[in-house]
Amino acid sequence: MGGVTGRAAGAAGRAGDSDALEHLARIGLIAYGVVHLLVAWLALQLAWGGGSSQSADQAGALATLAEQPLGRPLLWLLAVGLVALAAWQAAEVLRWRSRLSASGDARKKALEKIVKAVAKAVLYAALAVLAVRTATGGGGGGGQQQATGVFGWPAGRWLVGLVGLVVIGVGVYLVHKGVSKRFLQEVDLGQAPPQATRLVTRLGQVGFPAKGVALGVVGGLLVYAAVTFDPARATGLDGALRTILGAPFGQVLLTLVAIGIAAFGAYCFVRARYPERT
């Protein structure tokens, strides 16, 4: 049985290292960056009264792209790249699975890598599905609609609250990742010129904390919705950005968050140029 697992992990590692998958993953990273740039643009419109008809979240970003010339073919291209990113992370799960038999710090590191890879694979796959649905005219339900459905499940209220706490944790982690520069471990800058290293460092220092703040507000809204048993409070990223806008100095704060989200999108472009598996 161990031999079969080892061969599977070896095959996954070779698949993850293949040139074809790496090139597709680069497309996926660019796609991920484009989505963040579009979200940033929608957030700026929201901050300065541009009156966009789309929600300031991933669904709105993809819908905005669909409205452009050649938008639907581009959505299919984004979906392919995002699927490749999900496969890239799925290969990482098998790659690190064989190291779970170790002990101490080695086992802890393997478990951490697997959890992160699974979370990223699910995120990329979900975005790919949303891109396909948008390309075919299906669109996607908002955070409030999804939360309303979950509230109807047994213990759904507690599940929404738990998800909110997890999202808050992810937001705090992203802020820490940006401040501590841990994101540099994701990028292979060995052959990069000093200017590229400085650029990716600055983009990450701005982008990760901004995205973390936005996710923290999303998680806070989910927890508040669970505490008050009010699904209307669970409004996703669009609702989080509107909450920031409604705060004191909200226009300035939302503008800063939008700039940070745009910086994260640009960081994805640089990472596509210098990819390194995490």
Side-chain angles (χ1 to χ4, degrees):
M1 184 68 176
V4 173
T5 302
R7 288 194 296 272
R14 290 190 295 273
D17 292 334
S18 69
D19 290 340
L21 185 56
E22 180 176 310
H23 291 325
L24 285 175
R26 290 175 189 268
I27 295 175
L29 286 168
I30 293 172
Y32 200 46
V34 168
V35 171
H36 282 82
L37 289 180
L38 289 173
V39 170
W41 171 243
L42 292 173
L44 283 175
Q45 287 186 300
L46 178 63
W48 296 96
S52 172
S53 61
Q54 302 296 347
S55 58
D57 55 14
Q58 293 88 341
L62 294 176
T64 299
L65 181 59
E67 295 172 353
Q68 309 309 310
L70 300 178
R72 294 189 185 278
L74 286 175
L75 281 172
W76 284 106
L77 183 60
L78 296 189
V80 170
L82 290 167
V83 168
L85 274 180
W88 200 30
Q89 294 301 320
E92 284 294 278
V93 174
L94 293 178
R95 183 166 174 257
W96 286 96
R97 181 184 173 188
S98 62
R99 308 186 192 186
L100 288 176
S101 57
S103 59
D105 291 340
R107 178 183 174 86
K108 181 180 178 181
K109 180 179 179 181
L111 185 60
E112 179 183 344
K113 293 287 187 180
I114 289 173
V115 171
K116 288 182 180 179
V118 169
K120 289 180 180 180
V122 171
L123 172 63
Y124 297 144
L127 282 176
V129 170
L130 182 58
V132 170
R133 291 189 61 185
T134 305
T136 56
Q144 181 179 339
Q145 178 182 345
Q146 296 168 4
T148 301
V150 175
F151 265 90
W153 298 356
R157 175 183 183 181
W158 302 107
L159 180 58
V160 170
L162 178 60
V163 171
L165 291 175
V166 171
V167 173
I168 290 174
V170 172
V172 172
Y173 168 75
L174 290 178
V175 172
H176 171 71
K177 189 174 182 179
V179 173
S180 65
K181 302 181 185 180
R182 288 189 62 182
F183 57 87
L184 291 175
Q185 299 173 7
E186 299 177 345
V187 190
D188 184 5
L189 296 171
Q191 304 299 321
Q195 298 91 331
T197 300
R198 287 195 295 269
L199 175 62
V200 73
T201 301
R202 297 296 177 265
L203 290 173
Q205 286 179 308
V206 175
F208 278 95
K211 186 174 180 181
V213 168
L215 285 180
V217 177
V218 171
L221 290 173
L222 287 172
V223 171
Y224 188 65
V227 170
T228 60
F229 204 72
D230 183 4
R233 301 287 184 177
T235 51
L237 180 59
D238 179 67
L241 297 179
R242 293 179 187 276
T243 298
I244 293 174
L245 180 62
F249 306 103
Q251 193 175 46
V252 174
L253 291 175
L254 183 55
T255 299
L256 292 175
V257 170
I259 292 172
I261 293 174
F264 183 87
Y267 165 82
C268 291
F269 296 157
V270 179
R271 191 182 172 200
R273 174 63 180 85
Y274 303 103
E276 175 71 13
R277 235 191 259 94
T278 59

